[in-house]
Amino acid sequence: MECVWDRGLPALALNKVTLHAGSLGEAWQALSSKYLVRSILVTSGRAVEDSSFEHRSNRCPVGHFYDAIVSRYQMAWVQDQRTGVAWLHPHEWAYDDLLATKVHVARDHLGLPMQTGILEPLGKPETTHFIAKEWGTLFRNMFDYAVDIPAGRYAVRDILNLCAVANPTKTFLVKVRPKSVVVTAVSLGSDESGAPTVGALHLWDSETGIPRAESGPTKRQVVSALAHRQSKVRSAARNYLESIIHEVEIEEWVNDETATEQALWTCIGVLSILVRTREVTYRRVIEMTARFATDDFLAQGYPGLALITALELARLTENTRALEIVNNRVLRADELLGVHSDACRVASLSGFVRKALRVENTRNIVEKLPLLQAMVRSSGPPRLGFQVS
């Protein structure tokens, strides 16, 4: 699963770069967050990693910045051939040796929550030789974004790359120590207000293909892309939205003049970013979703959007009325293909939804989506199924 955005990052030009950092980790974090330039960092606790770093340039490609970092810290950098994700690692190790344990994934998985559904199950030292720390609610809310894992045989490193590709605002820090390897998810979001980062604009250009002004896409363009009939464009627009989420005031993006489909897809996009755990709520968006999701729309509107809206309302309000309305429609499997991953995403995050989808009055929905059906039938929260091979 190649990511055009990742593949093009080394050639992306940075202007007026000034970076001072006290260590390798600080330099990597500063570069990644300031410009939204994603790479995976591997550290090994060497003394040189605690030394300072300074770089200044009027204009340079990201790849030259990587060159400066690896030269300073006796490292190497490489792009994964399959995905394009960049890794910075100590030069004494070959890339293929990093997190090299092979695992076999027997079936396709859609919409798995990254932290609790993939990283933590994989992170068992007795099987895959690394540790993934388990964190609290706020950490899970940030990192339980949806990831699709096709069936196949992977190195653990490959699965980490797929997790990275699924969300450009997230990456990983791999700490290699004499008796352990610890993998921690890292957010590249910035709390600072201002124009979209150069990496965010590159994301929009490379993944949506929609022309924009020099300063970035307008709110109307983002809302339109979030409602695009192609799921790939919707996903890219949602990732772009996450890169600027601190700038979003939902009432400025959606109002009574917004078309119903655009309003609902925008609300779903915001909720998929800000509300990934049961303990976190965003009442304004939930209420807005319920306002646009009229009975007429649920019964007659675009089938895929009606389904995802009903699932989100069930997840957030623990009420199945909207699901029952959609279930009573004549649904075709081909009408729902573009939202299959989203449906699995919502069900993965909510035990209430999974339980609701097991009963007779939602059978019509589940029968049209095979991977959702498999998820609903399994006991416990969805987890990546794999065998070490």
Side-chain angles (χ1 to χ4, degrees):
M1 185 188 298
E2 181 180 27
C3 179
V4 178
W5 178 74
D6 276 296
R7 186 72 69 188
L9 280 177
L12 185 66
L14 304 179
N15 295 317
K16 298 179 180 179
V17 177
T18 301
L19 194 152
H20 304 275
S23 67
L24 167 62
E26 288 181 12
W28 172 74
Q29 181 77 51
L31 170 67
S32 303
S33 298
K34 185 175 182 179
Y35 301 104
L36 188 57
V37 173
R38 191 254 303 287
S39 61
I40 295 176
L41 176 65
V42 181
T43 68
S44 59
R46 299 164 301 152
V48 68
E49 294 171 5
D50 292 326
S51 57
S52 62
F53 176 84
E54 182 172 343
H55 187 82
R56 184 173 304 202
S57 175
N58 286 330
R59 183 177 175 85
C60 73
V62 170
H64 287 189
F65 210 119
Y66 289 164
D67 290 339
I69 289 179
V70 301
S71 175
R72 177 71 180 89
Y73 293 106
Q74 301 170 24
M75 303 181 74
W77 74 271
V78 64
Q79 280 188 287
D80 177 69
Q81 290 186 355
R82 182 185 301 180
T83 61
V85 174
W87 286 65
L88 282 63
H89 60 87
H91 61 61
E92 60 263 31
W93 299 325
Y95 171 67
D96 289 345
D97 294 333
L98 299 171
L99 297 173
T101 302
K102 296 295 191 296
V103 297
H104 176 68
V105 178
R107 66 174 181 86
D108 293 344
H109 293 266
L110 294 182
L112 282 179
M114 192 287 294
Q115 177 68 27
T116 58
I118 300 175
L119 194 61
E120 290 177 9
L122 275 176
K124 306 298 182 185
E126 65 275 14
T127 56
T128 54
H129 311 294
F130 83 92
I131 299 167
K133 288 187 177 180
E134 298 185 12
W135 302 85
T137 297
L138 291 178
F139 191 90
R140 295 196 308 274
N141 192 64
M142 181 173 292
F143 293 108
D144 261 349
Y145 60 86
V147 181
D148 296 343
I149 305 289
R153 187 169 182 265
Y154 301 93
V156 169
R157 177 189 63 253
D158 298 328
I159 294 180
L160 214 60
N161 282 326
L162 292 179
C163 290
V165 166
N167 192 324
T169 71
K170 306 294 185 283
T171 190
F172 299 93
L173 174 63
V174 181
K175 294 183 178 180
V176 181
R177 299 296 183 262
K179 296 183 179 181
S180 67
V181 177
V182 180
V183 179
T184 304
V186 177
S187 178
L188 305 182
S190 172
D191 294 331
E192 298 179 5
S193 298
T197 62
V198 63
L201 295 178
H202 172 54
L203 171 62
W204 177 269
D205 295 340
S206 60
E207 298 294 334
T208 73
I210 299 172
R212 59 169 176 84
E214 184 177 351
S215 59
T218 64
K219 294 174 185 176
R220 180 174 295 182
Q221 284 180 306
V222 178
V223 169
S224 178
L226 287 167
H228 202 281
R229 287 300 172 92
Q230 293 184 22
S231 59
K232 180 180 178 181
V233 177
R234 289 200 307 271
S235 177
R238 199 175 293 178
N239 283 334
Y240 176 80
L241 182 69
E242 184 156 5
S243 76
I244 61 165
I245 195 65
H246 58 280
E247 299 285 339
V248 176
E249 289 291 340
I250 190 64
E251 290 84 358
E252 296 178 5
W253 289 65
V254 174
N255 54 50
D256 291 337
E257 297 180 359
T258 309
T260 298
E261 285 195 15
Q262 291 188 345
L264 287 172
W265 276 123
T266 301
C267 290
I268 289 167
V270 171
L271 291 168
S272 73
I273 295 165
L274 296 180
V275 186
R276 293 174 177 140
T277 64
R278 182 179 178 183
E279 296 85 352
V280 176
T281 60
Y282 197 173
R283 190 153 301 280
R284 286 183 299 164
V285 187
I286 297 171
E287 292 171 352
M288 192 175 292
T289 304
R291 178 158 56 87
F292 279 94
T294 63
D295 287 1
D296 284 345
F297 175 80
L298 293 170
Q300 302 176 34
Y302 176 56
L305 176 56
L307 171 60
I308 300 306
T309 300
L311 287 167
E312 283 284 22
L313 287 173
R315 174 171 80 96
L316 299 166
T317 66
E318 298 202 337
N319 185 306
T320 62
R321 183 175 178 277
L323 270 181
E324 291 164 12
I325 293 173
V326 174
N327 186 72
N328 288 330
R329 297 179 58 162
V330 177
L331 298 171
R332 301 199 318 265
D334 63 299
E335 295 176 317
L336 304 179
L337 284 177
V339 299
H340 200 166
S341 181
D342 247 332
C344 290
R345 170 186 65 83
V346 179
S348 291
L349 296 175
S350 172
F352 178 86
V353 168
R354 295 193 298 276
K355 182 178 180 180
L357 291 173
R358 294 189 190 108
V359 302
E360 183 71 25
N361 58 357
T362 56
R363 176 179 292 182
N364 185 33
I365 293 171
V366 174
E367 288 179 345
K368 302 299 186 296
L369 299 169
L371 293 182
L372 179 64
Q373 188 175 44
M375 177 186 295
V376 169
R377 286 178 173 175
S378 63
S379 59
R383 298 286 187 267
L384 180 68
F386 67 92
Q387 290 184 330
V388 176
S389 60

